[in-house]
């Protein structure tokens, strides 16, 4: 799913940058801007948004169901910390796996731009790839993967937060799921700006 | 007529309260990540202690 998103975004980005660059004879910058835009911004944000829709909702529904069926209360009664057994593993998993997914999305996104540039815009394939790799710096990748880890944390914690505090039976679980997705998306976009501003300064 | 700053202020306060609650929850989740794992013996002792406490 993330691969599909990335390939279409990379392709659309390449086309748009070509159109914009052609206005002042800067078409040759297409590979540079595609790789910069995908690794620093679009890869982590789109992967975060896609996972907010799937994972955050899933965690909220799962923990919310456990809450309304009093399974979490039963754990507390047995002196088992629900945070340690229900929430911490999910948070750790999201923080570790989202950077991996984003790395894959970055590669697929750049390849999407490559396909459009070579097949539709008459770029030379070898030159496109050489420009891409020469322009890319380590800090671009580090910024993208740092964002991904933070987004993973936000996705898991927001889902767990909404599920843990849900009440009112099946209706409450549905409401918690919706709130988890909306909250995670808003937080991802806001934190994305803050991290970018921090790294730019 | 209601002063427009009243609903704006109330919404702002509600948003900050929600952010505070979420931050506390996130802090508890992070703290749980670093907490020492409970050994089976320790866990059984906890259950036993909890049961006694509840019976009492």
């Amino acid at each position: 799913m993330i691969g599909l998103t990335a390939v279409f975004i990379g392709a659309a980005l390449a086309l748009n940058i070509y159109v914009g660059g052609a206005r002042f004879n800067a078409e040759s910058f297409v590979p540079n801007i595609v790789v910069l835009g995908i690794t620093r911004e679009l890869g982590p944000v789109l992967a975060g948004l896609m996972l907010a829709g799937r994972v955050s909702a899933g965690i909220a529904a799962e923990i919310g169901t456990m809450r309304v069926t009093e399974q979490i209360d039963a754990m507390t009664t047995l002196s088992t910390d629900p945070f340690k057994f229900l929430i911490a593993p999910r948070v750790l998993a999201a923080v570790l796996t989202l950077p991996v997914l984003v790395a894959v999305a970055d590669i697929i996104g750049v390849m999407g731009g490559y396909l459009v540039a070579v097949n539709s815009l008459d770029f030379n394939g070898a030159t496109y790839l050489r420009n891409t790799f020469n322009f890319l710096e380590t800090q671009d990748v580090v910024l993208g993967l740092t964002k991904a880890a933070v987004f993973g944390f936000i996705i898991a914690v927001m889902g767990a937060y909404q599920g843990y505090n849900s009440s009112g039976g099946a209706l409450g679980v549905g409401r918690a799921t919706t709130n988890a997705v909306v909250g995670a998306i808003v937080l991802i976009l806001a934190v994305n700006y803050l991290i970018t501003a921090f790294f730019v300064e | 007529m209601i002063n427009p700053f009243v609903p704006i202020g109330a919404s702002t306060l509600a948003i900050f309260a929600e952010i505070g609650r979420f931050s506390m929850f996130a802090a508890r989740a992070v703290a749980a990540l670093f907490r020492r794992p409970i050994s089976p013996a320790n866990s059984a002792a906890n259950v036993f202690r909890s049961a006694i406490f509840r019976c009492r």
Side-chain angles (χ1 to χ4, degrees):
Chain A
M1 194 174 67
I2 286 184
L4 270 177
T5 317
V7 77
F8 287 125
I9 286 294
L13 196 63
L15 285 174
N16 279 319
I17 293 167
Y18 183 81
V19 170
R23 291 177 189 166
F24 46 96
N25 298 324
E27 297 96 328
S28 60
F29 286 114
V30 169
N32 308 352
I33 302 175
V34 165
V35 72
L36 201 69
I38 284 180
T39 50
R40 289 178 70 105
E41 197 66 41
L42 290 172
V45 170
L46 287 173
L49 295 183
M50 297 298 281
L51 255 75
R54 273 185 80 116
V55 177
S56 200
I59 291 175
E62 206 174 349
I63 294 182
T65 307
M66 292 182 79
R67 165 62 77 190
V68 299
T69 52
E70 300 180 358
Q71 294 176 50
I72 294 179
D73 299 330
M75 286 181 79
T76 312
T77 309
L78 293 171
S79 286
T80 308
D81 185 9
F83 273 81
K84 181 145 192 72
F85 283 87
L86 295 178
I87 295 166
R90 287 173 169 83
V91 172
L92 190 63
V95 169
L96 292 179
T97 49
L98 198 58
V100 179
L101 269 175
V102 166
V104 174
D106 287 348
I107 295 168
I108 296 175
V110 170
M111 284 300 124
Y114 170 85
L115 285 175
V116 166
V118 171
N119 293 321
S120 303
L121 306 175
D122 293 331
F123 274 74
N124 179 280
T127 313
Y128 187 95
L129 288 180
R130 197 171 52 245
N131 280 350
T132 298
F133 291 119
N134 286 344
F135 190 71
L136 191 65
E137 290 180 8
T138 313
Q139 63 163 359
D140 301 328
V141 181
V142 169
L143 172 64
L145 298 185
T146 308
K147 279 182 178 180
V150 176
F151 294 165
F153 179 79
I154 289 171
I155 288 167
V157 172
M158 183 56 86
Y161 171 71
Q162 296 292 346
Y164 195 83
N165 293 314
S166 66
S167 59
L171 187 67
V173 175
R175 203 179 298 129
T177 309
T178 311
N179 288 344
V181 175
V182 174
I185 287 174
V186 171
L187 216 55
I188 282 172
L189 294 175
V191 169
N192 174 52
Y193 165 71
L194 293 177
I195 296 176
T196 309
F198 178 77
F199 268 80
V200 166
E201 284 172 15
Chain B
M1 188 181 165
I2 300 173
N3 187 335
F5 285 105
V6 173
I8 293 171
S11 322
T12 312
L13 277 177
I15 289 169
F16 276 110
E18 189 66 22
I19 290 171
R21 275 199 295 273
F22 178 75
S23 306
M24 288 299 295
F25 188 89
R28 282 180 73 186
V30 172
L33 275 175
F34 295 103
R35 207 169 297 146
R36 191 170 56 90
I38 302 168
S39 70
N42 195 8
S43 175
N46 280 340
V47 172
F48 186 63
R49 204 178 304 128
S50 167
I52 288 175
F53 177 75
R54 276 163 213 288
C55 289
R56 198 171 55 187

